[in-house]
Amino acid sequence: MKFDRELLKGTTETFILAVVAEEPSHGYQLVKKLKLKSEGIFQLGEGTLYPLLYKLEAKDWIKGKWDESAGMRKRRVYRITPKGRRQLAARSEQWRELVRGMTLLLGDSAHA
Amino acid sequence: MKFDRELLKGTTETFILAVVAEEPSHGYQLVKKLKLKSEGIFQLGEGTLYPLLYKLEAKDWIKGKWDESAGMRKRRVYRITPKGRRQLAARSEQWRELVRGMTLLLGDSAHA
DNA sequence: GCGTATACCTCGTATAACAAAGTATACACC
DNA sequence: GGTGTATACTTTGTTATACGAGGTATACGC
């Protein structure tokens, strides 16, 4: 979906954490996976995803490791850290609150 | 609730439109109303709300009119325009898609 | 040797929500 | 008639985020 530019802000970190938590992944793979698993709703470009991964790693929420298996393009595989799990829980909580607030305010408009 | 700074982005215009659509209101009133109706989840400051109202009016999604009834501090009452209603519908649709995408991706994490 | 899919990296831009500070009016109360 | 509080609006500066557009380089099929 083509979102109104700002709508995604603050949610991306959360769903990336969630997907990485479910299964360690590398960047390029995440681009595909996010699109697939969200049924095309989220389509992050690489220019969005990679810098985000660096940031998450810098905060120690995920940890990347180079995978240089023979006969493969080398790739950096990220897995979630304990700290990342705690963040994910906190973010999910905030997300649920946001949804609750919006539901309260949108009311009928939400089903227009 | 204290949100993670960026999480609200893109949602504020939507719920303001929704509340104004339900009933014409002036700025100061909206600050209170948003907090009340969202059960304290959304607490926009005036420094956030007023500029937003100006922007929405500039886009012709809401229309303000000075109310100078006697014995009252004069206030600017906003009501939604037809264009605003269409926007509200579009925004609500996007919001629902976002929720759907997040639900797909968060999965178990959403109930942690 | 050529095309395509894979995989990663970097820079510039727009703009949004917020805090903080300011102005000014109505009204209750002593 | 002076003080405090709630009402009501305005403006400025800061921070950060998602994105597009561009770039590099490797594996593999044919």
Side-chain angles (χ1 to χ4, degrees):
Chain A
M1 179 167 206
K2 192 61 194 160
F3 285 112
D4 227 63
R5 259 196 101 56
E6 301 293 323
L7 190 50
L8 287 174
K9 293 209 171 165
T11 66
T12 43
E13 292 187 357
T14 306
F15 65 65
I16 287 174
L17 277 178
V19 171
V20 171
E22 196 188 43
E23 184 189 19
S25 313
H26 63 271
Y28 193 77
Q29 188 181 10
L30 277 169
V31 173
K32 309 275 179 191
K33 212 187 261 186
L34 289 172
K35 180 174 172 184
L36 195 70
K37 296 194 70 169
S38 73
E39 297 178 8
I41 293 176
F42 300 127
Q43 305 192 26
L44 297 200
E46 304 177 29
T48 299
L49 185 62
Y50 285 105
L52 235 153
L53 290 174
Y54 308 148
K55 209 184 65 178
L56 295 182
E57 185 167 27
K59 288 183 185 167
D60 192 29
W61 296 348
I62 59 175
K63 175 72 185 142
K65 199 180 174 186
W66 284 107
D67 170 10
E68 311 197 35
S69 309
M72 288 219 114
R73 183 93 176 66
K74 79 172 175 169
R75 43 164 85 146
R76 195 160 172 81
V77 177
Y78 294 93
R79 58 185 63 240
I80 196 161
T81 65
K83 211 166 162 183
R85 268 184 208 288
R86 284 194 296 276
Q87 260 301 309
L88 176 55
R91 296 297 188 106
S92 299
E93 170 62 21
Q94 283 193 42
W95 168 250
R96 266 168 292 161
E97 274 296 279
L98 178 64
V99 171
R100 198 172 136 252
M102 284 294 272
T103 303
L104 285 168
L105 290 189
L106 293 198
D108 295 337
S109 323
H111 314 298
Chain B
M1 178 168 206
K2 191 64 194 155
F3 285 112
D4 226 63
R5 257 195 101 54
E6 301 293 323
L7 190 51
L8 286 174
K9 293 209 169 168
T11 66
T12 40
E13 291 188 358
T14 306
F15 65 64
I16 287 173
L17 278 178
V19 172
V20 172
E22 199 188 42
E23 184 190 18
S25 313
H26 63 272
Y28 193 78
Q29 188 182 12
L30 277 170
V31 172
K32 311 272 179 195
K33 212 188 261 188
L34 290 172
K35 180 174 174 186
L36 195 70
K37 296 195 68 168
S38 72
E39 298 177 8
I41 293 176
F42 300 126
Q43 305 194 25
L44 296 199
E46 304 177 32
T48 300
L49 185 64
Y50 285 104
L52 234 153
L53 290 174
Y54 307 150
K55 208 183 69 179
L56 295 182
E57 184 166 29
K59 288 183 185 165
D60 192 29
W61 295 347
I62 59 176
K63 176 74 186 142
K65 199 177 173 184
W66 284 107
D67 171 9
E68 312 196 34
S69 308
M72 290 219 111
R73 183 93 175 66
K74 80 173 173 168
R75 42 164 84 147
R76 195 158 172 80
V77 176
Y78 294 93
R79 57 185 64 240
I80 196 161
T81 64
K83 211 167 164 183
R85 269 183 207 286
R86 284 195 296 276
Q87 261 299 310
L88 176 55
R91 296 297 187 106
S92 300
E93 170 62 19
Q94 284 192 41
W95 168 251
R96 266 169 292 161
E97 273 297 278
L98 179 64
V99 171
R100 198 170 136 253
M102 284 295 273
T103 303
L104 285 168
L105 290 189
L106 293 197
D108 295 338
S109 323
H111 313 299

